Amino acid sequence: MTTRRSRPVRALIAFCLLGLGLLAPAESQAGLNHWTSHGPGRLRTQAVAVARSDSDRVYAGTYGGGIYRSGNGGDSWSSANTGLFNGYVYALAVDPTSSSKVYAGTYGNGVFKSTNSGSSWSQAAYGLTNYYVFSLAIDPTSPNKIYAGTGGGVYRSTNSGGSWTRILATNANVRALVIDPNNTSRIYAATEGLKVYRSSNGGSTWTHSSSGLTSQYVFALAVDPVESNRLYAGTFARGVFRSTNHGGSWSAVNSGLTNHMYVYGLAVNPTDPSRLYAASYGYGVYQSANHAASWTTKNSGLDTYYVFGLTLDPNNSNKLFAATLEGVFSLTIPAPQPN
C-alpha cells in the first residue's frame, strides 16, 4: 500500500537517478526528439530507403560495404549482397507496391535489382552507357517506370529496369531526381555544375530550371506533396533554395542555417508540408516548421554531423531516417499539438 509519505520519497529517488543519468526521461526512452543509432556496423551510409507496403523493411546502401537490410524497422541488420558485385551504393529505391522489389544504384556498375527483398541481386544495366548511378526515382503511379541519374545524364526504364534509354545527356553527375506526385509527367533533376533541369512530359524534353540559384552544384531536391509548385533544393556551400513556381525561379531560404552549408538531403513531411528537414555535411540535421522560412538544429543523440540523406517512413510521417558517416539513425518527432 502506497502511503502519502512514500510518494515524495519515490519522486526524490527518481529525481536523483535522473540527475545521475541512470534513469532516462520518458520522452528519451520513447526515442522522441532524440536520434537513435541503428548501425549497420557504423559504416558510411549513402542512402536509406523504407518500403511503403511494409515499413518494417528498411534498406541501407553503404560506401564499400554494399547493402544491408532490416526487417524490424532498423533495429537489427543483415548483409544483403548476394549477386551484388559492387559495394559502393549511392542510391536505393523500393517499388511502392511491393517491398520485395528493390533497385540499387552503384558507383561504376550501374543499376542492380532484387525481387526478393535483397536476398539476391542481378545487374539491370542494359542500355546504360554511364555506370555511375547517383540517384533513382520510381513513378508512383506506374512503378515499372524508373529514372536513373548518372554521371552522364538521366536514363529511363519502362520495364522495371529490363532496359534503359538516355533521355537527358549531361556532362555532370545527376545527384537527385524527384517526381511531382500530383503530376508524374513533371520530373526534376539536380546536377553538379549545371544546376536543375525540369521536364513536363515524362523526360522526353528538358529545360534549365535554375533562375536565382547561386550555386552551380545541387545535391538534393524535394517537392511539396500538397502544393507541388513548391520545390526545395539543397546546394553546395549555399544552403537551401525554394521555388514556388515549379522551379521557374529560386530564392535562398537560409535563416538559421550555418553559413556556406553543404546540403545533401531534403525531406518534406507529407501530412504537414510546412515541416521539412535538411541533411548537411558537417552540421547534422536542421528542421523547419514554416516552409523553410527559418531553421533550427535537430541533432540530439546524433553521433555524427555528416549526413548524406534523409527519408521519412511512408507509413509514419513523424519518423525520420538519416544516412550518415556512422550508419543509419532514426528519429521520432512528436506531432504538433493543436492550439
Side-chain angles (χ1 to χ4, degrees):
M1 181 177 182
T2 302
T3 66
R4 292 184 179 179
R5 183 172 296 175
S6 65
R7 289 176 181 169
V9 172
R10 289 183 180 179
L12 178 61
I13 292 172
F15 179 80
C16 292
L17 290 173
L18 180 60
L20 292 171
L22 301 177
L23 181 67
E27 184 173 278
S28 177
Q29 286 178 326
L32 296 177
N33 276 325
H34 189 85
W35 289 97
T36 301
S37 174
H38 290 291
R42 294 289 184 175
L43 291 170
R44 172 175 167 176
T45 304
Q46 293 290 141
V48 60
V50 184
R52 179 174 297 279
S53 54
D54 178 8
S55 55
D56 281 336
R57 182 69 63 185
V58 186
Y59 301 90
T62 71
Y63 188 81
I67 295 171
Y68 285 76
R69 63 179 176 176
S70 171
N72 52 16
D75 290 339
S76 61
W77 299 84
S78 59
S79 177
N81 289 326
T82 300
L84 186 75
F85 51 83
N86 187 315
Y88 294 87
V89 178
Y90 272 77
L92 290 168
V94 185
D95 187 312
T97 62
S98 171
S99 64
S100 61
K101 190 179 294 184
V102 193
Y103 301 88
T106 68
Y107 190 76
N109 289 105
V111 177
F112 286 76
K113 177 182 176 180
S114 174
T115 57
N116 53 16
S117 303
S119 293
S120 61
W121 298 85
S122 58
Q123 193 177 29
Y126 180 76
L128 292 178
T129 56
N130 189 292
Y131 286 83
Y132 297 88
V133 180
F134 299 98
S135 52
L136 293 167
I138 299 176
D139 186 325
T141 62
S142 181
N144 60 313
K145 188 181 295 181
I146 311 159
Y147 300 88
T150 75
V154 178
Y155 291 76
R156 179 179 59 204
S157 173
T158 58
N159 55 8
S160 301
S163 60
W164 299 86
T165 303
R166 187 160 67 171
I167 56 175
L168 173 65
T170 72
N171 58 358
N173 297 332
V174 179
R175 284 286 183 174
L177 289 167
V178 293
I179 300 171
D180 183 337
N182 298 314
N183 178 3
T184 58
S185 294
R186 185 176 290 122
I187 309 161
Y188 302 90
T191 71
E192 292 182 16
L194 298 172
K195 300 185 181 180
V196 176
Y197 285 90
R198 177 180 64 187
S199 174
S200 298
N201 52 18
S204 297
T205 58
W206 298 81
T207 58
H208 263 111
S209 184
S210 304
S211 176
L213 277 172
T214 58
S215 175
Q216 294 287 332
Y217 295 82
V218 181
F219 291 127
L221 291 170
V223 179
D224 185 316
V226 177
E227 297 182 29
S228 55
N229 59 298
R230 187 180 290 119
L231 188 70
Y232 303 93
T235 71
F236 178 87
R238 293 292 185 270
V240 178
F241 286 74
R242 180 181 62 201
S243 172
T244 56
N245 55 6
H246 299 290
S249 59
W250 300 83
S251 57
V253 280
N254 291 325
S255 177
L257 294 181
T258 301
N259 289 336
H260 308 297
M261 199 171 83
Y262 301 3
V263 177
Y264 281 100
L266 291 165
V268 181
N269 188 310
T271 59
D272 180 5
S274 65
R275 299 163 61 196
L276 66 152
Y277 308 90
S280 76
Y281 188 79
Y283 300 98
V285 176
Y286 282 75
Q287 67 174 353
S288 173
N290 51 17
H291 298 292
S294 62
W295 298 88
T296 57
T297 57
K298 197 70 174 176
N299 290 330
S300 175
L302 197 62
D303 293 348
T304 175
Y305 285 178
Y306 294 88
V307 185
F308 301 106
L310 295 170
T311 190
L312 285 157
D313 183 332
N315 297 305
N316 179 1
S317 59
N318 293 315
K319 187 173 185 180
L320 184 67
F321 288 89
T324 81
L325 191 64
E326 299 287 341
V328 176
F329 286 73
S330 72
L331 173 74
T332 301
I333 306 153
Q337 296 300 310
N339 294 326

